[in-house]
Amino acid sequence: MTASPRGNLPLAALWFALALAGLAGTWALNLRFIADPQGLGYVEAWFVNPASSSAAVDVVVTALATCVLFAVESRRLGWTRWSWLLVPLTFAVALAFTFPLFLALRELTLRRRSRRDPAPPGA
C-alpha cells in the first residue's frame, strides 16, 4: 500500500512550524544574552554548571551528527550544492532551526518524487 503524496504535506508543515519555533525561541534567548552577558562569553556560558554543560555537550554532539546526516542524505536527494548552507547555519543560527527545516525540505522533495515516479501497481 502506497501513501498518497499529499500525506507528506502535514508533516512538512509541522517541520516548518518547528523550524520557526526553533529560530524564534533560540534567538529570543540569544538576544537576551547579548543584551546582558553577565560577564560571560557565549560558549563559556554554556558550561557554567554540570546541567548546562550536559545540555551543551548533548547539543554539540547532536549538531555534529546532524551535519553528517545533512551531507549524506542531501547527496541521496540530489541537493549537494545548496545543502552545505545548512552546516554553517546550524552553528550560526541554531540546530533547532536547521534540523526541522531540513526535514521539511526533505518531505517536500520526497513528495515531489513520489508524484513524478508513482509506485507500480502491486508494489
Side-chain angles (χ1 to χ4, degrees), residues 4-116:
S4 164
R6 292 183 182 183
N8 293 333
L9 286 179
L11 185 55
L14 173 63
W15 292 134
F16 279 125
L18 289 171
L20 288 175
L23 178 65
T26 57
W27 275 92
L29 295 169
N30 285 342
L31 293 173
R32 283 182 52 197
F33 178 80
I34 290 166
D36 183 21
Q38 300 178 359
L40 296 172
Y42 184 75
V43 175
E44 181 185 14
W46 290 10
F47 296 94
V48 295
N49 63 49
S52 66
S53 297
S54 173
V57 170
D58 190 31
V59 170
V60 169
V61 171
T62 302
L64 292 171
T66 300
C67 288
V68 172
L69 175 70
F70 289 164
V72 171
E73 190 65 9
S74 294
R75 185 177 305 136
R76 285 186 192 141
L77 296 169
W79 300 349
T80 52
R81 289 191 181 152
W82 74 266
S83 68
W84 285 103
L85 181 61
L86 292 171
V87 173
L89 283 177
T90 296
F91 297 98
V93 178
L95 173 63
F97 168 65
T98 58
F99 186 58
L101 176 64
F102 171 83
L103 292 173
L105 296 172
R106 181 180 179 276
E107 281 299 321
L108 294 179
T109 298
L110 294 175
R111 179 178 187 271
R112 218 175 6 258
R113 284 186 179 177
S114 71
R115 293 179 77 190
R116 186 178 53 217

